[in-house]
Amino acid sequence: MKNNFLVATLLLAGAALVLGRRKRKRHHYHGFGGQDKPVASQDTVVYFIADPSKLDKAVEWYEDFFLTKAEDKPVLGPGEKPYRSFKIETTNGSKSFIAVLLSTDPVYLQLNEPVFYWVLPDVKDVDIKYKKLKDKGSEFDKKPHSIKKPKGILGVREVTQKPTEVQAFIVVDPYGNRAGVVNNPIYVPSLITEE
């Protein structure tokens, strides 16, 4: 009798678990009033290069900016428009990547604001990156500016650790695209090194 009761309890618990999972999968987000959806992480950044004959020069500029090589050769996208790509490893240790496309397809409009801020470990690294870009004659939309340590709470995490400063700038590539550079004092990234 005891065994039958135990078996029945386990079967009911298993059925409840399966039904609960199905229900959660159908309703994976709530939104506010059903009008909103959750944001997704960004895994691709596109910089538009209007003139396909300048794609190789753009690749050189971005190889210098990212300090990494582009994928091997140009690829033809929709409409026979060539593009080149980079794989930039994220700094969170998860071995995930952000794809960067240098595309000549006019479907990608140039935006007036940066589409992505690239993160360096600290203020000193941001200053070094700015100086190198400036020495090469780069144009800047916003020169380095500091944001002092916020007081109180940022999100749900108390801002108490050092460094106490955020440094950021926005560089304009030779083709009119804007790329931001910033340090993150709360979640300091580690630099990725070649193995």
Side-chain angles (χ1 to χ4, degrees), residues 1-11:
M1 183 83 162
K2 229 181 203 180
N3 286 344
N4 289 341
F5 179 73
L6 182 61
V7 169
T9 304
L10 288 173
L11 287 174

Side-chain angles (χ1 to χ4, degrees), residues 55-56 58-64 66-74 83-88 100-102:
L55 186 57
D56 288 338
V59 168
E60 287 177 24
W61 192 90
Y62 278 95
E63 284 179 340
D64 188 53
F66 290 126
L67 300 179
T68 191
K69 293 287 186 190
E71 300 289 314
D72 291 334
K73 57 185 177 178
Y83 70 89
R84 294 287 299 271
S85 62
F86 291 83
K87 267 174 65 173
I88 307 299
V100 178
L101 303 181
L102 304 181

Side-chain angles (χ1 to χ4, degrees), residues 10-25:
L10 288 173
L11 287 174
L12 285 174
L17 183 63
V18 168
L19 289 175
R21 282 189 178 166
R22 283 185 183 165
K23 190 174 186 179
R24 276 192 296 261
K25 283 183 182 178

Side-chain angles (χ1 to χ4, degrees), residues 10-165:
L10 288 173
L11 287 174
L12 285 174
L17 183 63
V18 168
L19 289 175
R21 282 189 178 166
R22 283 185 183 165
K23 190 174 186 179
R24 276 192 296 261
K25 283 183 182 178
R26 273 192 305 236
H27 303 291
H28 67 278
Y29 69 88
H30 300 289
F32 294 100
Q35 301 297 313
D36 203 2
K37 291 184 180 177
V39 297
S41 62
Q42 185 160 343
D43 60 2
T44 304
V45 176
V46 180
Y47 294 114
F48 177 60
I49 312 301
D51 183 349
S53 70
K54 296 183 179 175
L55 186 57
D56 288 338
K57 280 289 189 193
V59 168
E60 287 177 24
W61 192 90
Y62 278 95
E63 284 179 340
D64 188 53
F65 180 78
F66 290 126
L67 300 179
T68 191
K69 293 287 186 190
E71 300 289 314
D72 291 334
K73 57 185 177 178
V75 178
L76 289 179
E80 301 296 308
K81 302 291 183 184
Y83 70 89
R84 294 287 299 271
S85 62
F86 291 83
K87 267 174 65 173
I88 307 299
E89 189 170 352
T90 60
T91 55
N92 61 14
S94 66
K95 290 292 184 190
S96 58
F97 295 88
I98 297 171
V100 178
L101 303 181
L102 304 181
S103 178
T104 61
D105 191 335
V107 73
Y108 297 106
L109 301 174
Q110 288 183 328
L111 302 176
N112 290 329
E113 295 297 323
V115 293
F116 203 81
Y117 274 87
W118 299 99
V119 182
L120 291 171
D122 59 39
V123 171
K124 177 186 67 164
D125 297 309
V126 173
D127 288 338
I128 290 169
K129 177 64 91 178
Y130 172 76
K131 184 177 179 336
K132 285 184 178 178
L133 288 165
K134 184 179 176 187
D135 290 347
K136 291 183 178 185
S138 294
E139 178 187 334
F140 295 90
D141 188 36
K142 288 187 181 174
K143 294 197 166 70
H145 56 283
S146 296
I147 303 167
K148 297 295 179 197
K149 177 181 174 183
K151 294 183 179 171
I153 296 176
L154 182 64
V156 294
R157 184 181 169 111
E158 184 86 29
V159 181
T160 56
Q161 65 269 45
K162 298 195 182 277
T164 60
E165 189 177 16

Side-chain angles (χ1 to χ4, degrees), residues 166-187:
V166 175
Q167 184 86 339
F169 67 84
I170 299 171
V171 64
V172 181
D173 76 10
Y175 314 96
N177 298 294
R178 287 159 173 77
V181 177
V182 67
N183 69 294
N184 184 341
I186 298 170
Y187 300 103

